[in-house]
Amino acid sequence: MAFNTQRLQFAGHSGATLAARLDVPNGSLRAYALFAHCFTCSKDLAAARRIAAELAREGIAVMRFDFTGLGSSEGEFASTNFSSNIADLLSAADYLRQHYRAPSVLIGHSLGGAAVLAVAKDIPEVRAVATIGAPADVGHVLKNFGTSLEKIEKSGAAEVDLAGRTFLLKKQFVEDARSHRIKDAVASLKKPLLILHAPLDETVGIENANEIFLAARHPKSFISLDKADHLLTDIDDAAFAGRVISGWLTRYLAADTPQGTGMIEHVRVTETGEGKFQNSVQAGSHRLFADEPGNLGGLDTGPSPYDFLSIALGACTSMTLRIYADHTKLTLGRIGVDVSHAKIHVKDCEDCTEAERSASGRIDRFERVISIDGEVSGELRSKIAEIADKCPVHRTLEAVAKIKTIVK
């Protein structure tokens, strides 16, 4: 499903204006999710964008925002701490509640994961929580401070180099981090929890996922992110995480509303904004991507347009043959149809007439190979080929179709 991204602003815990993006799916809307980014990251992290895109396919709107003093948000980062992050999350939830709908899903990445675990009990509308690479102890973040931690504790403040950027951090941040007990919050969560973590995560070790999982009550689930790094910098890892979360959420959200409820059903195809060619496809209540392979400049996240044509021919052929078998009481094994497409010169077309082969240029050629489980006689093979040619999509492809275009 495609989505529209809206730029929003709302007041954070301190009154500072926080910058946010709300990714709203086109079509039916099932729920709102609130996404908390990792420590010193921002709402525009590539992984956050991709996860939002995957959730949009399931009709879930995602609000992602910059915590106070980070990204495009106002405020002084040095005056913030984990408690202020929790307060910002509550402000974000209030904003959604007042202007759209309260979030029923919380998703947190790294320290943002710890924050959503801590805040979930204070947002009554939340029905499910998902974390990605979350620490089991807020104090874990202090390990990234190195020798600066001692300076902070002695002098009250120090500059800390984090991911190539320098941040001023005060002693109050350290003291606040040590005061929170995330595992206690997890134990009293009483909401479905999904934990995603990479075994090779060098920033937040996999043992953190184990501690969170053991502290949580059922229903709880763990998914390994295999070889992903902490920030999910590989777009395929982020897409996988998004698909897992969206699929898991279907158990805890209201059923999707089909798109086509009238007499006329249609397919909607819309650019997602991800990659050069990726489009979301909505057909009734079904959603998937259309794309081009990587060697053509796409992300290879879905079938290509010609793949969809081949899918239509193959599916229609199989269905037509099954209808024929049921109608004639013919025992027919499982049907398989392989379809390939190519552009060939008209003169090379074996099935074309002499008049057609005399023309110049290329034509589209679909080759269909039908396989049937079990023994099939020669006479039945001929009949199967005859019935396959009566497939409506087959006839459409061979006929001259008319396409009416309306530009709004």
Side-chain angles (χ1 to χ4, degrees), residues 10-16 18 36 39 65-70 74-92 111 115 118-119 138 169 172-173 176-177 179-180:
F10 65 94
H13 77 283
S14 65
L18 304 188
F39 182 54
F65 71 97
D66 292 329
F67 286 110
T68 299
L70 291 171
E74 296 178 350
E76 183 185 6
F77 177 75
S79 298
T80 66
N81 50 39
F82 188 73
S83 293
S84 71
N85 287 350
I86 292 175
D88 280 346
L89 277 168
L90 288 173
S91 297
L111 192 62
V119 81
V138 180
L169 290 169
Q172 59 85 20
F173 182 98
D176 182 80
S179 70
H180 288 273

Side-chain angles (χ1 to χ4, degrees), residues 116-405:
V116 299
L117 290 172
V119 81
K121 67 181 186 303
D122 297 319
I123 306 176
E125 298 90 346
V126 169
R127 301 182 62 180
V129 180
T131 64
I132 305 167
D137 177 14
V138 180
H140 182 281
V141 73
L142 303 179
K143 297 179 181 179
N144 298 317
F145 294 2
T147 57
S148 297
L149 180 59
E150 184 178 348
K151 294 180 182 178
I152 294 172
E153 293 179 317
K154 283 186 177 181
S155 60
E159 290 188 340
V160 180
D161 183 65
L162 299 169
R165 294 182 294 166
T166 300
F167 296 89
L168 177 64
L169 290 169
K170 298 180 180 179
K171 189 174 182 179
Q172 59 85 20
F173 182 98
V174 175
E175 294 174 344
D176 182 80
R178 288 171 173 164
S179 70
H180 288 273
R181 295 181 60 82
I182 295 302
K183 283 183 282 189
D184 288 348
V186 173
S188 59
L189 187 60
K190 297 181 181 179
K191 301 178 190 293
L193 174 63
L194 173 63
I195 303 164
L196 298 96
H197 213 114
L200 302 181
D201 191 328
E202 295 181 353
T203 303
V204 179
I206 188 64
E207 67 276 3
N208 287 270
N210 184 55
E211 291 181 37
I212 294 173
F213 187 86
L214 292 176
R217 298 179 180 180
H218 286 291
K220 57 183 177 180
S221 304
F222 169 77
I223 294 294
S224 172
L225 295 178
D226 198 18
K227 298 180 180 179
D229 60 22
H230 183 66
L231 295 180
L232 304 184
T233 51
D234 187 324
I235 202 67
D236 290 337
D237 292 327
F240 173 75
R243 287 193 297 270
V244 168
I245 294 171
S246 59
W248 173 78
L249 283 173
T250 59
R251 296 184 61 89
Y252 305 106
L253 299 179
D256 201 359
T257 302
Q259 174 197 14
T261 56
M263 293 180 62
I264 299 176
E265 295 185 355
H266 64 282
V267 172
R268 172 176 290 169
V269 181
T270 315
E271 286 187 317
T272 65
E274 292 291 326
K276 185 177 181 180
F277 298 116
Q278 188 189 75
N279 278 256
S280 74
V281 180
Q282 182 174 358
S285 62
H286 306 289
R287 298 182 177 90
L288 59 157
F289 283 144
D291 207 341
E292 291 287 1
N295 61 348
L296 295 180
L299 298 175
D300 198 23
T301 55
S304 70
Y306 275 107
D307 286 339
F308 275 106
L309 276 179
S310 297
I311 291 168
L313 178 59
C316 182
T317 299
S318 177
M319 294 174 185
T320 300
L321 290 173
R322 182 54 60 194
I323 291 172
Y324 170 77
D326 290 348
H327 180 71
T328 60
K329 309 300 182 184
L330 174 66
T331 300
L332 201 62
R334 181 174 296 178
I335 301 166
V337 184
D338 291 304
V339 180
S340 58
H341 167 264
K343 295 271 190 182
I344 64 170
H345 290 285
V346 178
K347 64 181 180 180
D348 297 327
C349 177
E350 299 175 356
D351 301 322
C352 294
T353 64
E354 287 295 332
E356 290 172 332
R357 281 199 295 269
S358 65
S360 59
R362 293 172 178 264
I363 62 170
D364 290 287
R365 179 177 184 272
F366 291 88
E367 180 174 286
R368 175 177 53 190
V369 178
I370 302 170
S371 57
I372 310 291
D373 285 353
E375 294 293 329
V376 179
S377 66
E379 180 181 355
L380 182 55
R381 289 177 188 276
S382 298
K383 190 63 178 178
I384 287 173
E386 176 189 337
I387 299 302
D389 287 348
K390 296 180 180 180
C391 154
V393 173
H394 177 119
R395 291 178 172 179
T396 298
L397 289 172
E398 286 198 331
V400 178
K402 298 294 182 182
I403 300 174
K404 180 180 179 181
T405 301

